[in-house]
Amino acid sequence: MAARIDALPAPAGLWRFIILLSLGGFFELYDLFQTGYISTGLIADGIFHTGAQGVFGVSDQAAFASATFLGLFVGASLLSPYADRFGRRATFMFALIWYGAFSLLLAFQQQAEWVIFLRFLVGVGLGIELVTIDTYLTEWVPAHLRTRAFAFAFFVQFLSVPAVALMSWWLVPQTIWGLSGWRYVVIAGALASLVIWLVRKGLPESPRWLVQQRRYAQARQVMRDMERRCGVAATDFPSRPVDDAEGAPPRGRFRDIWAPQYRDRTLMLVVMNFFQAIGFFGFGNWLPALLSGKGASVTHSLLYAFFITLAYPLGSLLCSFYADKMENKWQIVLSCLVTVIFGSLFALQNNPLWLILCGFFITWSNAWLTYSYHSYQSEIFPTHIRARAVGFCYSFSRLSTVFSSIIIGIILQYGGSLGVIAFIVASMLIVMLVIGLFGPKTRGIDLENI
């Protein structure tokens, strides 16, 4: 099975599958990056309050962000392991419909308490979704295309970031047909995700997962279908004296990710996820506020943020041309180094042009970091525990952001933009050390041999 997957070429058929899968992830990033952009509209409507007047005694924007990432933590750590039990496709589609339904409900709320609670439920669906996408993509893509496929997938997903920035700049200050503009930003993401759900028939189940479950007939069928899609003459598996009912399929357990051969990898990824999220979401979610702290008005900060966030899709697209030429671990280290350099420069700027330029390079390095670590962490665990292990490690990026969102809000209040950037730089330095010293090599190696 692994040999047949690795022998797949890269025609339009395979890339269409990658795009379709990536469109599901589009909405996770669309939703995550709403946090900073729609908060100004919620404040203007009198739903959110700043400082100690917020629901929990802190800024409602901070509580909103924390609720999102608490939901992501629950979804990634507790529910994403179901992808190992029920399959990648079924779990992915469940998460997508969950996200769309609760986002739609959120758009019509009038009280901060309900907005924050529904935001938590939206986060649960998103936490399941992205972990499932990572495992799904890793198991379907040939070894020689893995990192490049992730880079291209995140190009599609990151198109959501300038999209939500532009929509927020255009819609948030307006009221249309009696509804505030921020509501339309949320509704657009919810409705579009439900449309993607309707085209789910184009997604085949992971053949690696089907074989793991000993569902050999289905594995043969989806493999033949993908080979036909890729223009390869379909061949059959070697004959085996077994049938689909042979024995009970192996079921991964939580303790399996702490087995001696995986323990160091698990610990490494827990630390990496905890600190990379501070750099990535600390800058992304608080970008309008950081720009406002530099003296930009709300309208101008949203417009500047739009130009800066163009680096997310453009950076991923550019990286897709060289993604497979370098070890993933070193791509993670170098991307963090770029964030450290330009993050430090950003803190020293006040000129709008230099702010946009430094912000652009920070965003590009974040895009580079994202596809490389998503590919990396899904490569280094076996199929029967892949979703469970990735979900557990990845959930620490969400858990850290629950607290760092509040911490950044406090730092911004008392230490300004300079303090926030220093916090982000220190976090990225920790990621560089952990991955550089302890990360295994994965480039061009079959999943079964890593």
Side-chain angles (χ1 to χ4, degrees):
M1 171 64 74
R4 288 179 70 173
I5 293 173
D6 286 343
L8 289 173
L14 182 61
W15 288 107
R16 277 196 298 270
F17 163 73
I18 293 170
I19 291 170
L20 185 58
L21 191 59
S22 303
L23 285 173
F26 178 99
F27 300 104
E28 196 218 18
L29 293 177
Y30 179 95
D31 194 86
L32 290 179
F33 280 88
Q34 283 179 16
T35 306
Y37 298 119
I38 68 173
S39 293
T40 54
L42 285 156
I43 292 170
D45 274 3
I47 296 173
F48 275 8
H49 298 88
T50 58
Q53 295 180 338
V55 172
F56 299 105
V58 296
S59 163
D60 281 327
Q61 179 179 349
F64 186 66
S66 294
T68 303
F69 289 101
L70 184 59
L72 286 161
F73 172 74
V74 171
S77 62
L78 300 182
L79 299 181
S80 66
Y82 283 105
D84 286 336
R85 182 176 179 182
F86 296 112
R88 312 324 191 195
R89 181 180 182 274
T91 307
F92 172 73
M93 300 317 305
F94 170 78
L96 195 58
I97 195 71
W98 176 292
Y99 158 75
F102 283 112
S103 287
L104 205 55
L105 283 174
L106 185 151
F108 296 97
Q109 301 308 309
Q110 301 291 340
Q111 295 177 303
E113 293 88 344
W114 278 106
V115 170
I116 293 169
F117 174 67
L118 286 170
R119 185 65 170 179
F120 165 77
L121 294 179
V122 168
V124 171
L126 295 176
I128 303 169
E129 187 176 347
L130 200 57
V131 171
T132 308
I133 290 172
D134 286 355
T135 57
Y136 211 162
L137 193 57
T138 295
E139 291 171 3
W140 253 124
V141 175
H144 64 95
L145 284 177
R146 267 200 313 264
T147 309
R148 184 181 170 199
F150 267 86
F152 183 79
F154 274 97
F155 158 66
V156 175
Q157 293 177 43
F158 276 135
L159 287 172
S160 65
V161 184
V164 73
L166 184 60
M167 288 182 66
S168 299
W169 170 72
W170 173 43
L171 290 171
V172 167
Q174 301 189 52
T175 299
I176 304 172
W177 296 331
L179 287 179
S180 300
W182 70 266
R183 299 182 188 275
Y184 287 100
V185 176
V186 177
I187 291 169
L191 293 181
S193 72
L194 297 177
V195 171
I196 299 301
W197 188 84
L198 294 175
V199 298
R200 67 194 182 282
K201 291 183 179 179
L203 291 174
E205 183 54 89
S206 161
R208 279 185 162 100
W209 180 81
L210 289 169
V211 169
Q212 193 77 55
Q213 300 298 305
R214 299 190 173 127
R215 290 158 61 175
Y216 302 117
Q218 287 179 263
R220 282 193 291 268
Q221 187 59 51
V222 297
M223 195 69 237
R224 288 195 200 100
D225 291 344
M226 182 60 80
E227 286 172 332
R228 280 195 291 269
R229 184 183 292 191
C230 294
V232 176
T235 57
D236 208 347
F237 293 95
S239 298
R240 291 188 54 181
V242 296
D243 57 35
D244 285 7
E246 179 199 50
R251 292 183 60 176
R253 297 161 297 181
F254 178 71
R255 69 183 184 187
D256 292 341
I257 71 176
W258 300 102
Q261 63 268 43
Y262 306 122
R263 186 187 304 125
D264 290 347
R265 297 180 180 191
T266 300
L267 289 171
M268 173 194 69
L269 290 179
V270 164
V271 175
M272 185 273 291
N273 273 288
F274 189 91
F275 286 99
Q276 67 80 19
I278 294 173
F280 184 89
F281 292 109
F283 188 78
N285 283 344
W286 291 87
L287 179 57
L290 292 175
L291 289 168
S292 294
K294 292 286 187 178
S297 66
V298 170
T299 301
H300 279 96
S301 67
L302 289 174
L303 183 58
Y304 294 163
F306 166 69
F307 287 111
I308 289 172
T309 54
L310 285 174
Y312 281 115
L314 293 177
S316 296
L317 184 62
L318 176 64
C319 290
S320 69
F321 293 103
Y322 64 80
D324 284 319
K325 304 295 191 296
M326 186 189 307
E327 280 287 349
N328 267 336
K329 64 175 288 183
W330 298 122
Q331 295 195 58
I332 294 170
V333 170
L334 289 175
S335 62
C336 289
L337 179 61
V338 174
T339 299
V340 167
I341 293 170
F342 284 96
S344 301
L345 291 174
F346 183 92
L348 301 174
Q349 304 304 319
N350 284 301
N351 181 281
L353 182 60
W354 283 106
L355 282 172
I356 291 173
L357 186 63
C358 290
F360 186 91
F361 278 102
I362 294 171
T363 305
W364 167 67
S365 64
N366 276 342
W368 188 9
L369 169 65
T370 300
Y371 82 75
S372 54
Y373 92 78
H374 274 275
S375 175
Y376 191 63
Q377 68 183 6
S378 61
E379 292 173 322
I380 61 178
F381 293 103
T383 300
H384 72 287
I385 60 168
R386 181 167 290 119
R388 181 180 297 275
V390 172
F392 175 76
C393 298
Y394 188 54
S395 70
F396 279 84
S397 70
R398 279 43 188 141
L399 184 63
S400 77
T401 318
V402 171
F403 302 107
S404 66
S405 296
I406 295 173
I407 292 170
I408 287 174
I410 295 170
I411 293 174
L412 189 62
Q413 183 177 350
Y414 294 103
S417 300
L418 185 61
V420 174
I421 295 297
F423 184 49
I424 291 172
V425 165
S427 300
M428 287 306 192
L429 288 171
I430 293 172
V431 174
M432 291 172 63
L433 287 172
V434 169
I435 296 297
L437 293 175
F438 303 108
K441 294 181 178 180
T442 62
R443 179 172 172 259
I445 304 174
D446 292 339
L447 291 180
E448 289 71 18
N449 297 325
I450 293 175

